[in-house]
Amino acid sequence: EMWAMAAEGVSVHTTRIRLPKVTVEGIEEMMNAPELEQAARLLGSAPIDVLCFGGTSASFLHGTAYDVALTRKLQTWAPGPHITTASTASLAALAQVKAGPVVLATPYVDGVHARAIRFLEENGHTVLRHRNLGIDKDQALAEVPLEQVYDMVMDIDHPDATAVFISCTNFRSVGAIEALETALGKPVISAVQASFWHSLKV
């Protein structure tokens, strides 16, 4: 989705780190593995302007202070580019549209989904309604049809929600945003869209 959004002259460079299972324990294992530093240093050695850590759940898992600490670690490992994370970017995007209370859609298992709610609420966004799909396999996150994402968001909308947040950077969303915003009459922020937007902004 980031390649599809990239304007002429913008290039996207990525490297992956292994996520054994999309659970609290699996994400912690990924974040404690040496691959994280290796990946940051590898990308940071390229002449890039911005490095974005593209894991939403992994950056909000232990709250805002954890996300800030992750940014500092990435700055140490990759001192050249500007640094952001999917969670930092998502909060910035919600602020950009002046969001207050939100509804939340995720593909996560219950334990990770609960952390998403906590992260949003500790940053001033009351979660009025929410739904999660209970997926714990990394690649399965990306296999959810866009139509299902659309239907899921339509089902959970709340009249008092000022915005919709779709979490997870391996969860397709960008192709449904315009249709959802037209149908709901409110901003729809996804972690993928926010990460790319914030990377361009910083």
Side-chain angles (χ1 to χ4, degrees), residues 23-142:
T23 59
V24 171
E25 297 75 19
I27 294 166
E28 286 178 337
E29 183 179 335
M30 176 183 79
M31 296 305 286
N32 291 323
E35 288 172 282
L36 178 61
E37 180 178 352
Q38 292 163 3
R41 290 187 183 280
L42 180 64
L43 280 178
S45 67
I48 57 173
D49 297 299
V50 183
L51 188 148
C52 177
F53 175 78
T56 327
S57 58
S59 48
F60 69 55
L61 196 68
H62 296 297
T64 309
Y66 180 81
D67 184 46
V68 171
L70 173 61
T71 299
R72 291 201 187 103
K73 275 201 290 193
L74 293 169
Q75 286 170 333
T76 300
W77 296 332
H82 296 286
I83 304 289
T84 189
T85 72
S87 291
T88 296
S90 296
L91 291 179
L94 288 167
Q96 181 75 16
V97 299
K98 298 179 171 56
V102 298
V103 294
L104 170 68
T106 85
Y108 306 136
V109 297
D110 291 347
V112 178
H113 184 75
R115 303 291 181 102
I117 294 171
R118 185 181 72 180
F119 180 75
L120 288 168
E121 295 199 331
E122 75 176 13
N123 284 284
H125 300 288
T126 302
V127 178
L128 298 175
R129 291 188 73 191
H130 56 90
R131 186 169 299 167
N132 58 307
L133 299 179
I135 297 171
D136 66 1
K137 293 181 175 60
D138 184 21
Q139 293 184 13
L141 298 171

Side-chain angles (χ1 to χ4, degrees), residues 5 20 33-34 60 85 112 116-117 126 144 165 180 194 199 201:
M5 289 186 285
F60 69 55
T85 72
V112 178
I117 294 171
T126 302
V144 178
F165 180 53
L180 284 167
S199 293
K201 187 174 175 64

